[in-house]
Amino acid sequence: MIKFNYFKKQFAICVTTVIGLLLTSCAAVSDTKVLYFAHSLPTSHPVHKGILDMQSILNEKSGGKLQIKVFPDGQLGSEREVLELLQIGSIAITKVSASALSNFAPEYQLTVVPYLFRDDAHLWRNLEGEVGEQLLSSGSEYLLRGLCFYDAGARSFYTKEKPINSPDDLTGLKLRVQNDQMSVSMANTLGASATPMAFSELYTALQQNVVDGAENNIPSFVTSNHFEVCKYYTFDEHTMIPDVVIIGTKFWNRLSGQEKEWLLTASKESVVKQKIYWKETIAEQMEMLKKNGVKFFYPDKKPFQIKSKPVMENLMKDPQMKALIDKINAN
Ligand code: GCU
């Protein structure tokens, strides 16, 4: 596995170096600029559909002068690898989970705090308000400028052998979480044994009992086919971690004022439809999951909230994070 990942990474680096060269030459021979956009989700995912909207809005606004070419499915590497490729300027744009970004720009850690956002309205009031703007621009210091947030719903636990009805049911379970400190601490604080790994490795890890379960939103549970292996899905909705569209500042700084405006408007406008795709997809997918023998559970969330409280308390020891979290709570 290690060897395979090593070669995959080397391959991604080679491919992106070639792409980097191609990009430079593209820009030199015509006045059309093509920005490469890599992400890890499959094409059936509602987030990918939002990205395709962004692509067509940009094309329309710029009269084809500024375009996006999309590489889905982790073709160019894991979220972490692609963020690194953005930093060195080999790829222009990506879409990652805010938790992957928290490894680079620490402010994003707050998006991984369990039960911080009370509901959808509270989440979007903050993401599309002052806090969201602050998060998006916080990445620039790390060469990763945020363009917009996409809906990634709420994350819940899903398991292979037994349903989760209370935090006690998590005790001792090996659960895959995303590769960041906050996600690890979330699962461990709830009593599980956190196993961080890349999303692309999870299907095999579930099949081979390397882990007993994982946590994600419904569209990712479905499009990754994890539902074939895990038949228990519990709506504890511990986090609402948005997806984020990011442009590397190496590319951003090379765009003209007009090009920046096209890109910003295209990304912001695409969010409206992406949120609709999200809701429609979930409704359809829930039906499909039921037909495929997945059982849903709706536990009392209170014990999960109480047990996971230390995650927020710990983060709030940092005065900057405390100020942001207080702002969210008061909003
Ligand atoms: C979500 C998110 C992805 C992320 C995945 C994960 O599906 O949209 O960007 O990779 O979670 O759990 O790793």
Side-chain angles (χ1 to χ4, degrees), residues 40-41 79 95 97 155 176 178 199 216-217 220 243:
S40 64
L41 297 172
E79 297 200 336
K95 185 297 306 166
S97 172
R155 297 175 75 96
R176 179 271 175 177
Q178 295 189 82
F199 194 49
N216 219 315
N217 51 53
S220 293
D243 277 353

Side-chain angles (χ1 to χ4, degrees), residues 86-98:
L86 252 71
Q87 286 182 312
I88 59 169
S90 296
I91 292 180
I93 308 184
T94 188
K95 185 297 306 166
V96 292
S97 172

